[in-house]
Amino acid sequence: MDKHNLVSNRRGKSNPRFKKEKSNFLQKNRAPKMGVKITIGLIVAILFVFPIIWMLFVSIKPDGFATTDPLSWFLPPYTFGNYINLLFDSLILRWLLNSLIVAVVTTILTLLLTSLAAYALSQMKFRFKYFIFIFFLLGLMIPGEATIIPLYEVAKSLNLLDSYSGLILPMIASPLGIIILKSFFDGVPKEVVESAIMDGCSHFKIYYKIVLPLSKPALAAIGIFTFIGSWNNFLWPFISILSEELYTLPVGLPVFNSAYTQTYVLPMTANAIASIPLLIAFLLFEKQIVKGISFTGIKG
Amino acid sequence: MQDMKAFLFILPFFVVYIIFTIFPVIKGLEMSLYDWNLVKKLEFVGLENYQKMFGDPHFWRTLWNTTLFVILTTPTMVLLSLGLALLANLNTRFKTIFRSSFFIPSILSVSVISFLVIFMLQPYNGFVNNFIQSIGINMEPFWMDDKVLSWVTIVMVTLWWTVGFNMILFLAGLQDIPESLYEASEIDGATGWQMFKYITLPQLVPIGRVIILLQILASYKVFAQILLITDGGPGGATRPLIQYIYEVGFTQNNLGYAAAMSYALFFILLILSIVQLKNQKQEEG
């Protein structure tokens, strides 16, 4: 009986006294080993972040700065002149805006289309339902990279090459989004939906007022991934966009980098400008991003 | 009536899905049977493009390069992501710092990471060469001009850039292992290594399998970082299949042949994703 109590106590995460004891115990017995692990962890963490830190330091060096002394990249003088130069005298602001517009619209449309279809597949009865669901699942097995050549022809015949819509439309029908949302919508209690129907609610109202608000975590996860995916998409904009004014950042940056190979400073500033919005977003939404990956990764 | 309503919900997705996902698969088949350039289709050539593909040394070479990339990155990726997940799962106050630092390169755009690496690895005035010289190693490696070194560069960059995602999957796996298993074995006097070997590893097998398959699937699509870092060089040593498809289609103006090779890639990826979906079905029971 005592032993049983002990075990259940140990399991109980809510017992603060036990937690304290456990961590003391760990510190006493495993302190040296733990120290080694933490040191390794810190070294690896520094190695991982270092190139990004270096990029940020290079971006605030005076234009044309060059050195063979690794340390002097990090020492003053600093200037924000490169940022001002690039933001006002190059297309980078335009590319940033393009990336933003495309990513935001792609995300909104993906969420809209997938949630509508997933709602019907989850909550409504209709003919060919199973067949349609399987048909959507097939899309999981069609890699965009392998259909990019015919996609180019399709976009060409629809007059979508070299346009925002051409960048957005091919990216918004996400079968993975359907699967994740459908399984999430399936978890909405049947009684809630049924009683809403009894009260004369239309399906659209149920979708909009009940199911969507209940599914915020799933929508957030899909939204974050669609946004990052679109922001960083390279192959399709690289092929389908011809005019410089319509470049997105990933396609624009290489032009930039190869035009200035003599000096690192301006290209690094361009790279920093492209990264800072996402770095900030990451620091703000880190928890949701991490949750989203474990959520979608396992399902998909 | 109910049917109509449901179809209205499904219609927007359905239309976009048909036009941009399903139709290109059929269109690709048609294109691969024609002599087809960037302007228009020229003439029906039957299976000629496929015949050409089987006899094309560049096709086999680039397919091998892509496969080599898969062989080099998959095991290293699994080990590294597991290692990082174990570090990020340690019960210390650095937990969040570890996880964020390991993940943060993943949010950068492929263009940014590529040029970051090019500038850092530049001979004579790149940070890395200057650094190894400043600590007394007198070497001037040409990271992008040597066959072996350029592969090392690409694999290392890819690991650094994409390991965060897999680490988080392993981390989720680690956190799903019931604490009671460790407690029971602690009472039985198991050492840390024994716990790792007999509890942690076996419990991570399912998620590990998912990670391996996703990794193989993703690596077969490698293109952008190689294009930007080595441009497939030196002498085509790192050129992946997708880059060759792109070049045939858009610089050699031969979309028909490019579509045929895309079909080969499609076929490989299809088999891999069927294996992956089967595996997942098994996981879910």
Side-chain angles (χ1 to χ4, degrees):
Chain A
M1 198 56 189
D2 258 338
K3 199 178 170 188
H4 189 81
N5 258 337
L6 187 73
V7 171
S8 60
N9 249 342
R10 288 189 137 215
R11 269 175 153 176
K13 285 192 175 161
S14 54
N15 188 339
R17 230 178 94 208
F18 170 64
K19 257 205 166 161
K20 216 177 172 187
E21 271 169 31
K22 191 184 172 191
S23 66
N24 277 338
F25 163 81
L26 278 174
Q27 267 165 17
K28 264 182 214 154
N29 286 276
R30 303 215 185 119
K33 251 191 180 170
M34 200 61 165
V36 172
K37 285 178 188 165
I38 290 175
T39 315
I40 296 174
L42 285 175
I43 293 172
V44 180
I46 291 169
L47 281 176
F48 265 70
V49 182
F50 183 79
I52 302 171
I53 307 278
W54 181 73
M55 169 179 79
L56 295 175
F57 270 102
V58 175
S59 76
I60 54 170
K61 297 300 281 183
D63 185 18
F65 181 83
T67 178
T68 54
D69 171 26
L71 201 63
S72 48
W73 286 112
F74 300 96
L75 304 173
Y78 303 132
T79 167
F80 284 96
N82 313 312
Y83 283 86
I84 293 164
N85 273 348
L86 282 187
L87 288 174
F88 292 106
D89 282 344
S90 74
L91 281 172
I92 198 159
L93 203 60
R94 180 67 205 261
W95 296 339
L96 193 82
L97 205 66
N98 291 342
S99 283
L100 202 65
I101 292 170
V102 171
V104 167
V105 178
T106 304
T107 306
I108 293 173
L109 288 179
T110 303
L111 289 175
L112 186 70
L113 264 59
T114 50
S115 64
L116 278 170
Y119 177 84
L121 290 169
S122 165
Q123 302 291 346
M124 298 170 85
K125 288 189 193 102
F126 56 94
R127 257 181 295 173
F128 310 121
K129 181 167 151 176
Y130 183 72
F131 174 76
I132 289 176
F133 185 52
I134 297 293
F135 180 61
F136 287 168
L137 288 191
L138 278 181
L140 280 183
M141 290 187 271
I142 303 172
E145 285 80 357
T147 53
I148 206 102
I149 300 281
L151 182 62
Y152 178 85
E153 278 297 309
V154 171
K156 191 171 85 180
S157 56
L158 294 173
N159 247 332
L160 288 174
L161 288 180
D162 213 19
S163 72
Y164 283 146
S165 354
L167 288 180
I168 295 165
L169 290 175
M171 303 298 150
I172 58 176
S174 153
L176 186 60
I178 295 255
I179 296 176
I180 292 169
L181 284 178
K182 181 185 175 294
S183 69
F184 214 86
F185 293 170
D186 285 345
V188 174
K190 282 271 174 297
E191 305 84 58
V192 177
V193 176
E194 272 160 21
S195 66
I197 291 176
M198 293 289 225
D199 291 345
C201 262
S202 70
H203 270 294
F204 187 75
K205 211 166 177 188
I206 298 171
Y207 156 81
Y208 184 70
K209 293 255 167 168
I210 300 175
V211 174
L212 279 194
L214 282 175
S215 312
K216 274 185 193 146
L219 293 169
I222 297 169
I224 287 169
F225 284 110
T226 312
F227 187 91
I228 295 181
S230 165
W231 182 270
N232 287 337
N233 192 2
F234 182 83
L235 186 57
W236 180 237
F238 179 66
I239 286 176
S240 73
I241 297 296
L242 306 164
S243 27
E244 272 199 343
E245 300 80 57
L246 284 178
Y247 280 177
T248 55
L249 273 175
V251 184
L253 286 177
V255 177
F256 218 95
N257 282 303
S258 40
Y260 289 84
T261 37
Q262 294 310 309
T263 156
Y264 298 170
V265 175
L266 277 183
M268 276 301 135
T269 311
N271 288 335
I273 292 173
S275 310
I276 287 169
L278 273 196
L279 290 174
I280 293 173
F282 174 72
L283 295 176
L284 290 178
F285 297 113
E286 205 223 336
K287 269 208 178 118
Q288 285 90 325
I289 294 176
V290 170
K291 251 194 228 155
I293 295 175
S294 357
F295 189 77
T296 47
I298 291 170
K299 302 247 161 162
Chain B
M1 198 52 205
Q2 176 83 343
D3 283 4
M4 271 304 291
K5 274 187 203 154
F7 287 139
L8 282 181
F9 275 84
I10 286 178
L11 193 68
F13 184 94
F14 191 79
V15 171
V16 178
Y17 179 72
I18 292 280
I19 298 177
F20 296 106
T21 305
I22 298 298
F23 183 63
V25 177
I26 302 158
K27 184 83 184 168
L29 188 63
E30 184 203 356
M31 289 173 78
S32 72
L33 302 175
Y34 279 84
D35 188 0
W36 193 307
N37 70 20
L38 281 167
V39 184
K40 57 177 197 277
K41 80 171 149 186
L42 300 170
E43 58 172 329
F44 184 78
V45 294
L47 294 176
E48 231 169 70
N49 283 324
Y50 290 96
Q51 270 170 345
K52 188 173 164 190
M53 180 177 89
F54 283 109
D56 179 357
H58 294 299
F59 169 75
W60 292 110
R61 178 77 195 278
T62 50
L63 179 59
W64 162 245
N65 285 342
T66 300
T67 311
L68 182 63
F69 178 81
V70 175
I71 295 171
L72 291 173
T73 50
T74 307
T76 43
M77 179 66 81
V78 171
L79 289 178
L80 186 64
S81 54
L82 176 60
L84 295 185
L86 289 170
L87 287 173
N89 198 38
L90 290 178
N91 209 354
T92 71
R93 66 197 136 127
F94 300 110
K95 209 169 176 154
T96 327
I97 296 183
F98 283 176
R99 194 182 61 195
S100 312
S101 328
F102 302 156
F103 185 73
I104 212 161
S106 311
I107 60 161
L108 299 179
S109 143
V110 64
S111 310
V112 173
I113 61 112
S114 299
F115 284 98
L116 208 47
V117 165
I118 290 176
F119 288 131
M120 288 198 102
L121 295 182
Q122 200 82 235
Y124 302 118
N125 62 351
F127 186 89
V128 170
N129 281 13
N130 290 161
F131 178 77
I132 56 178
Q133 284 153 10
S134 77
I135 57 169
I137 303 168
N138 214 352
M139 273 180 11
E140 193 68 68
F142 281 66
W143 295 94
M144 265 77 80
D145 290 330
D146 175 272
K147 264 186 207 172
V148 176
L149 278 185
S150 54
W151 272 116
V152 171
T153 306
I154 285 166
V155 170
M156 283 193 333
V157 173
T158 308
L159 289 176
W160 169 68
W161 180 39
T162 57
V163 76
F165 186 86
N166 293 321
M167 171 205 62
I168 286 176
L169 292 183
F170 265 132
L171 203 54
L174 282 170
Q175 281 156 5
D176 279 349
I177 302 176
E179 191 66 23
S180 56
L181 287 179
Y182 291 109
E183 279 150 12
S185 71
E186 205 168 355
I187 293 169
D188 292 342
T191 63
W193 170 247
Q194 282 171 328
M195 286 188 203
F196 178 71
K197 196 171 158 196
Y198 295 110
I199 301 172
T200 314
L201 273 188
Q203 292 278 326
L204 287 178
V205 165
I207 186 74
R209 212 183 286 148
V210 171
I211 289 174
I212 291 172
L213 287 165
L214 285 178
Q215 186 57 34
I216 294 174
L217 209 56
S219 303
Y220 260 103
K221 303 176 190 170
V222 66
F223 168 64
Q225 71 262 44
I226 297 186
L227 176 85
L228 294 171
I229 295 175
T230 66
D231 195 14
T238 56
R239 184 167 58 164
L241 181 57
I242 292 189
Q243 188 182 346
Y244 184 52
I245 293 176
Y246 169 78
E247 286 169 3
V248 165
F250 294 96
T251 36
Q252 296 171 25
N253 195 12
N254 191 346
L255 287 181
Y257 184 33
M261 288 192 290
S262 297
Y263 247 87
L265 178 67
F266 181 44
F267 191 66
I268 295 170
L269 292 172
L270 187 68
I271 291 174
L272 288 170
S273 58
I274 289 172
V275 173
Q276 204 253 334
L277 287 178
K278 268 215 168 127
N279 170 51
Q280 222 155 296
K281 271 239 172 83
Q282 263 175 5
E283 297 304 279
E284 283 158 15

